[in-house]
Amino acid sequence: MTTTQNNRLDLVVLDMAGTTVADGGLVEEAFSAAAEHLGVRPGSTEHAAQLDHVRATMGESKISVFRHLFGDEETARRANTAFEEAYGALVDGGRIAPLPGARETVERLTAEGRTVVLTTGFARTTQDAILAALGWQDLVPLTLCPADAGGRGRPYPDMVLAAFLRTGAVDDVRRIVVAGDTSYDMVSGVRSGAGIVAGVLTGAHDKDQLARNGATHLLGSVAELADLVARAEA
């Protein structure tokens, strides 16, 4: 197939933690801190069950996770605030780093004329703290959190579609590439209509989970993404 302007994959929507950013299990640490703040004792049966749910729903908007776990909105918001504060403190402590090849991949995709957008299930303040810690504030033209897409995070397609609408980089959702490390990333990409939904094996979920939830491709790391995009256009 000959590549034309109309079939170029010119919008790439990348997840952060687990896909482009290594956080060394900070989500679980921050959750445990938030749960303890609400009286859930670490090591208890309740804590273990809640932690299992957090692992299963990696990639989902964190406030949605806390709504499921704690029921009422006020408690969920208290838990979310405690989580974001704990995670932010860990980020400030130098506990995160870019995954190998992540920055280089973004820079290559950008140099090829593509628009790259970074997305997260965290709140804006936490996303900004991560970007600052990595020195990525100016790496991409747009970063999105659930609040930037009307409040709904993954597995809804809203952040991907917000990237589509805000950037104007492509005129067809089939020209979008979505990459992430969780099942919810895959579901979000599929629901958006993206032409490539790449599961990256450096984060929360394994290849079977990613494939079951709609991954069109599986990558060992995000460093393989630019070559995948180039092959898809060839």
Side-chain angles (χ1 to χ4, degrees):
M1 180 178 67
T2 300
T3 300
T4 70
Q5 187 63 31
N6 289 331
N7 61 24
R8 275 181 52 90
L9 298 162
D10 276 343
L11 177 58
V12 183
V13 181
L14 297 178
D15 171 54
M16 293 181 64
T19 303
T20 55
V21 179
D23 70 1
L26 297 194
V27 168
E28 293 186 17
E29 286 188 46
F31 167 74
S32 294
E36 188 171 11
H37 180 75
L38 294 179
V40 179
R41 182 172 54 82
S44 66
T45 301
E46 181 183 13
H47 179 266
Q50 290 182 345
L51 192 55
D52 283 344
H53 180 76
V54 169
R55 291 172 179 143
T57 56
M58 287 288 190
E60 185 178 2
S61 168
K62 293 300 174 283
I63 184 63
S64 297
V65 173
F66 288 124
R67 285 176 181 136
H68 174 87
L69 290 176
F70 295 108
D72 68 279
E73 185 69 14
E74 180 182 351
T75 304
R77 289 192 177 278
R78 284 172 52 212
N80 191 61
T81 297
F83 171 87
E84 298 285 352
E85 289 175 351
Y87 193 96
L90 292 167
V91 168
D92 290 342
R95 295 279 303 278
I96 63 165
L99 279 161
R103 185 181 186 110
E104 293 82 357
T105 295
V106 173
E107 290 174 341
R108 174 179 162 185
L109 291 166
T110 301
E112 292 171 348
R114 311 182 203 282
T115 300
V116 180
V117 177
L118 294 174
T119 64
T120 185
F122 295 130
R124 167 54 60 184
T125 54
T126 302
Q127 186 178 36
D128 286 345
I130 295 170
L131 293 168
L134 297 174
W136 282 11
Q137 299 97 319
D138 300 315
L139 184 61
V140 299
L142 180 65
T143 62
L144 295 170
C145 66
D148 299 320
R152 296 201 309 184
R154 311 176 191 108
Y156 296 100
D158 300 26
M159 285 195 290
V160 179
L161 296 176
F164 172 74
L165 292 170
R166 292 194 190 188
T167 65
V170 295
D171 57 9
D172 187 329
V173 292
R174 292 171 293 183
R175 294 171 56 202
I176 302 173
V177 176
V178 171
D181 66 297
T182 71
S183 298
Y184 279 15
D185 289 307
M186 302 302 95
V187 174
S188 175
V190 169
R191 289 177 175 177
S192 75
I196 289 179
V197 181
V200 179
L201 301 174
T202 50
H205 293 160
D206 63 27
K207 61 182 180 180
D208 292 334
Q209 291 171 295
L210 298 172
R212 280 200 311 270
N213 286 279
T216 61
H217 301 77
L218 294 170
L219 303 177
S221 76
V222 73
E224 300 173 17
L225 183 63
D227 284 343
L228 169 63
V229 173
R231 289 195 304 270
E233 290 181 342

